[in-house]
Amino acid sequence: MARKVRTEEEDAQIDMTPMLDIVFIMLIFFIVTTVFVKEAGIDVNKPDASQAVLHKNANIFIAVTEDGNVWLDKREVSPDSVRANIERLLTEQPTDYVIIQADVKAKHGLVVEIMDQVKAAGVNRVSVAARG
């Protein structure tokens, strides 16, 4: 009768493959579910406001400069094409909130026109950014 003698090399080893699989699955899950913010792409001098509120769930920003340029998704767009651009961004990432970052010297009529374009694209919650 042959006896099997266990040597030091035959000890149980830890298999790391299942743990790595779970880590990669979690990484893919978090990448897929991450919300990407569509920033305007330009900084503007926002007006001061004592009652300014920070909205954390907004992920589309539109900037209006003092000379009438409109920036959306890090590029300059014409005021007439804001609706089409918002509709495109909504297909990529649905949201119900858009923030307009208007310069303190931007024309009021242009800001209202941009607000109308955003509402026509289907977003009902539009806010104008201010410094608090």
Side-chain angles (χ1 to χ4, degrees):
M1 184 156 128
R3 251 176 108 188
K4 185 172 181 181
V5 179
R6 287 186 75 174
T7 62
E8 198 63 35
E9 299 112 28
E10 294 179 6
D11 283 345
Q13 295 181 356
I14 297 174
D15 186 13
M16 298 295 285
T17 307
M19 186 182 77
L20 289 174
D21 289 345
I22 289 174
V23 169
F24 282 124
I25 289 171
M26 288 174 52
L27 178 69
I28 291 170
F29 172 76
F30 288 124
I31 289 173
V32 169
T33 59
T34 301
V35 174
F36 295 101
V37 176
K38 302 292 184 184
E39 293 185 6
I42 191 170
D43 288 331
V44 294
N45 186 17
K46 293 178 238 168
D48 292 324
S50 61
Q51 302 295 318
V53 177
L54 177 64
H55 294 284
K56 296 185 186 221
N57 60 346
N59 50 1
I60 296 178
F61 292 85
I62 303 170
V64 180
T65 63
E66 65 178 298
D67 53 349
N69 296 330
V70 179
W71 286 76
L72 176 63
D73 197 18
K74 295 187 174 98
R75 60 190 175 87
E76 189 175 351
V77 297
S78 71
D80 297 332
S81 67
V82 169
R83 177 181 178 177
N85 282 292
I86 292 290
E87 288 173 348
R88 177 184 56 83
L89 291 175
L90 288 175
T91 58
E92 294 174 9
Q93 186 175 17
T95 186
D96 61 343
Y97 209 87
V98 171
I99 292 183
I100 299 174
Q101 299 171 323
D103 192 275
V104 69
K105 295 181 181 176
K107 294 196 184 319
H108 178 71
L110 180 60
V111 175
V112 171
E113 180 184 340
I114 300 300
M115 291 174 81
D116 284 342
Q117 295 263 339
V118 171
K119 288 199 177 220
V123 178
N124 293 324
R125 299 176 70 191
V126 182
S127 181
V128 177
R131 282 183 294 182

